[in-house]
């Protein structure tokens, strides 16, 4: 058995292993990643020629030679130029040339590069090469303090475009429109505060505000970030995001919560409200017809009803007025309790909505008392006469 070391065989094996390793690296190369293979050269202040491998926008692997093609300070001769052309290098010049191929043709890129390293750089063994795989650090989270509402809108638009890859769809008011699970919702920037709100009005009829409010309060713990408000006979739901300091990540997190609710929660909320109204209808505990007439006619748009007009609607029936008064007082107390519940949960929006209903019922109570006074005192005066 011969113990003589065969350098040529060792070099051939080394280059074969180097090509396999380089091909493996390039197969898994990602966008923005870089593989740099360089050779040291004392004549170039310790640096030398380098092959830079990257991925193009078309997902092809590219190799660029530079800043100098050779390991020595000389020009390329005709034979070397012919070799580069045979290896299918493009844009061949003194300072730089390149070759790029699809990932399934990586062997061609690897072969073109290693032949240059051996023949032009005159590297006898790949152990004399330095291979570095550079992966860029993740982009830091950037937070911006908006200078005003217009700046905040621009930040939101830019963030949404980065997330979706397209320009946000907006309505005539400039609010961003989303449609998820059949529900259309809007994203808007508050006109006064650095706040972003996503909201929608659920398509469900509110037949009894008190019952619907109670149902929503019992259900809202499942969606603590979502605000539920009864307004003008419908359920308004919203989520708000403080944007005193704006960051893409916070907007993305808020959108995920909002879309999760629209996908998994909006349907359940509509069922809860509808069942609350159906339960009231089925129990016969609806508002009396006469009281409903008073509520419909007694508004600020056409003027408040006078005590005499209310008494006329009640047909000057003292017992009917007393019944309407009792129902109205119960509604007033119910909404007042709802205010306290909302405040205890620090839900100022719901508290304000409940306070609006409580004041409306309080006004009705006062009007009914005045009508009752009119009916009772008028009947007594008629007895005296």
């Amino acid at each position: 058995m011969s113990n003589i070391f065969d350098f040529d065989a060792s070099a051939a094996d080394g280059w074969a292993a180097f090509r396999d390793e380089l091909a493996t690296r390039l197969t898994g190369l990602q966008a923005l990643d870089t593989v740099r293979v360089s050779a040291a050269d004392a004549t170039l202040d310790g640096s030398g020629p380098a092959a830079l491998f990257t991925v193009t926008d078309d997902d092809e692997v590219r190799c660029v030679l530079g800043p100098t093609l050779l390991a020595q300070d000389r020009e390329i001769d005709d034979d070397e130029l012919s070799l580069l052309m045979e290896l299918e290098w493009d844009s061949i010049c003194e300072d730089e040339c390149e070759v790029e191929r699809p990932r399934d043709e990586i062997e061609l890129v690897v072969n073109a590069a290693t032949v240059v390293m051996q023949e032009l750089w005159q590297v006898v063994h790949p152990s004399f090469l330095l291979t570095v795989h550079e992966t860029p650090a993740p982009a830091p989270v950037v937070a911006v303090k908006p200078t005003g509402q217009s700046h905040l809108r621009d930040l939101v638009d830019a963030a949404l475009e980065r997330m979706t890859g397209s320009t946000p769809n907006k309505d005539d008011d400039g609010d961003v429109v989303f449609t998820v699970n059949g529900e259309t919702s809007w994203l808007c920037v508050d006109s006064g505060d650095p706040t972003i709100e996503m909201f929608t009005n659920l398509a469900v009829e509110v037949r009894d505000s008190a019952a619907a409010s109670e149902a929503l309060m019992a259900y809202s713990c499942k969606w603590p970030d979502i605000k539920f408000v009864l307004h003008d006979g419908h359920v308004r739901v919203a989520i708000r995001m403080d944007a005193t300091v704006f960051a893409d990540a916070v907007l993305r997190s808020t959108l995920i919560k909002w879309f999760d609710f629209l996908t998994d929660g909006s349907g359940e909320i509509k069922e809860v409200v509808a069942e609350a109204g159906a339960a009231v209808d089925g129990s016969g505990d609806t508002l009396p017809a006469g009281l409903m007439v008073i509520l419909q006619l007694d508004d600020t748009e056409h003027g408040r009803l006078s005590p005499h007009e209310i008494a006329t609607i009640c047909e000057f029936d003292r017992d009917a007025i007393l019944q309407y008064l009792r129902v109205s007082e119960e509604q007033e107390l119910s909404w007042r309790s709802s205010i306290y519940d909302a405040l205890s949960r620090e839900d100022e929006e719901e508290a304000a909505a409940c306070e609006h209903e409580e004041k409306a019922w309080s006004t009705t109570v006062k009007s009914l008392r005045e009508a009752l006074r009119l009916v009772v005192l008028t009947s007594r005066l008629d007895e005296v006469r």
Side-chain angles (χ1 to χ4, degrees):
M1 177 182 291
S2 174
N3 294 323
I4 299 175
F5 175 70
D6 189 337
F7 180 82
D8 291 339
S10 174
D13 292 341
W15 281 110
F18 175 78
R19 284 192 292 269
D20 290 342
E21 181 182 354
L22 182 59
T24 301
R25 284 178 181 267
L26 299 185
T27 300
L29 199 62
Q30 301 297 317
L32 303 180
D33 286 4
T34 299
V35 172
R36 178 187 295 273
V37 180
S38 58
D41 189 343
T43 65
L44 296 174
D45 299 326
S47 63
L52 190 68
F53 299 89
T54 57
V55 176
T56 69
D57 293 338
D58 296 328
D59 200 39
E60 293 190 339
V61 176
R62 172 186 292 166
C63 177
V64 177
L65 299 178
T68 176
L69 300 183
L70 304 175
Q72 298 176 355
D73 187 12
R74 63 177 177 81
E75 296 181 357
I76 300 176
D77 60 32
D78 293 340
D79 291 339
E80 292 169 335
L81 181 60
S82 297
L83 178 62
L84 290 172
M85 295 176 66
E86 289 177 8
L87 295 172
E88 300 185 23
W89 286 91
D90 300 319
S91 305
I92 302 173
C93 64
E94 289 293 335
D95 296 328
E96 183 178 284
C97 61
E98 65 182 45
V99 61
E100 62 182 54
R101 289 293 186 276
R103 290 182 186 270
D104 57 359
E105 297 181 17
I106 282 180
E107 291 78 6
L108 190 150
V109 178
V110 171
N111 182 62
T114 53
V115 171
V116 166
M117 296 171 194
Q118 292 175 278
E119 302 297 332
L120 272 67
W121 296 359
Q122 298 179 359
V123 176
V124 295
H125 195 280
S127 60
F128 294 102
L129 297 171
L130 176 63
T131 302
V132 178
H133 189 164
E134 301 174 348
T135 301
V141 176
V142 178
V144 180
K145 184 174 182 180
T147 58
Q149 306 312 101
S150 178
H151 184 206
L152 179 54
R153 291 189 188 92
D154 292 341
L155 290 172
V156 171
D157 291 348
L160 291 175
E161 187 166 352
R162 284 191 291 271
M163 293 177 200
T164 64
S166 59
T167 303
N169 179 33
K170 293 190 175 184
D171 61 14
D172 294 338
D173 296 327
D175 298 333
V176 180
V177 182
F178 299 105
T179 300
V180 178
N181 197 30
E183 296 286 353
T184 299
S185 63
W186 293 263
L187 181 153
C188 66
V189 173
D190 192 282
S191 59
D193 298 323
T195 303
I196 299 168
E197 182 180 54
M198 282 142 265
F199 66 93
T200 189
N201 298 320
L202 297 182
V204 59
E205 180 184 1
V206 179
R207 289 185 287 247
D208 185 274
S209 298
S213 178
E214 184 177 353
L216 288 175
M217 284 189 290
Y219 193 84
S220 60
C221 60
K222 184 175 181 180
W223 300 95
D225 298 306
I226 307 297
K227 306 301 180 185
F228 306 93
V229 178
L230 295 177
H231 182 68
D232 291 341
H234 63 257
V235 179
R236 185 181 189 274
V237 293
I239 186 170
R240 294 173 68 84
M241 166 188 155
D242 180 78
T244 305
V245 177
F246 178 84
D248 285 22
V250 180
L251 178 60
R252 183 182 296 106
S253 174
T254 306
L255 282 169
I256 290 173
K257 292 177 182 178
W258 180 241
F259 292 156
D260 285 346
F261 167 75
L262 292 179
T263 302
D264 301 328
S266 61
E268 295 182 41
I269 290 296
K270 288 189 286 188
E271 290 180 6
V272 166
V273 173
E275 289 173 1
V280 171
D281 292 343
S283 66
D285 193 22
T286 56
L287 297 178
L291 180 55
M292 290 292 294
V293 171
I294 293 172
L295 294 175
Q296 291 293 326
L297 299 181
D298 190 30
D299 58 59
T300 55
E301 182 178 353
H302 298 90
R304 312 297 306 192
L305 292 174
S306 68
H308 188 273
E309 289 172 328
I310 293 178
T312 301
I313 294 172
C314 298
E315 298 179 346
F316 290 87
D317 185 337
R318 181 195 62 185
D319 292 340
I321 297 176
L322 285 172
Q323 180 190 3
Y324 303 162
L325 186 58
R326 183 178 65 256
V327 172
S328 299
E329 288 174 336
E330 290 175 353
Q331 291 288 338
E332 181 185 11
L333 291 174
S334 175
W335 283 107
R336 189 173 299 163
S337 175
S338 297
I339 294 173
Y340 296 143
D341 290 340
L343 291 176
S344 67
R345 290 181 284 106
E346 297 183 354
D347 192 336
E348 296 182 0
E349 286 189 36
E350 185 169 340
C354 294
E355 185 178 3
H356 174 78
E357 294 289 341
E358 188 266 346
K359 287 182 178 179
W361 282 109
S362 177
T363 301
T364 302
V365 167
K366 293 177 182 178
S367 298
L368 286 168
R369 282 177 180 163
E370 292 176 359
L372 180 63
R373 179 185 297 273
L374 174 66
V375 169
V376 173
L377 293 182
T378 299
S379 61
R380 291 296 179 89
L381 289 175
D382 288 342
E383 291 176 3
V384 173
R385 294 193 184 101

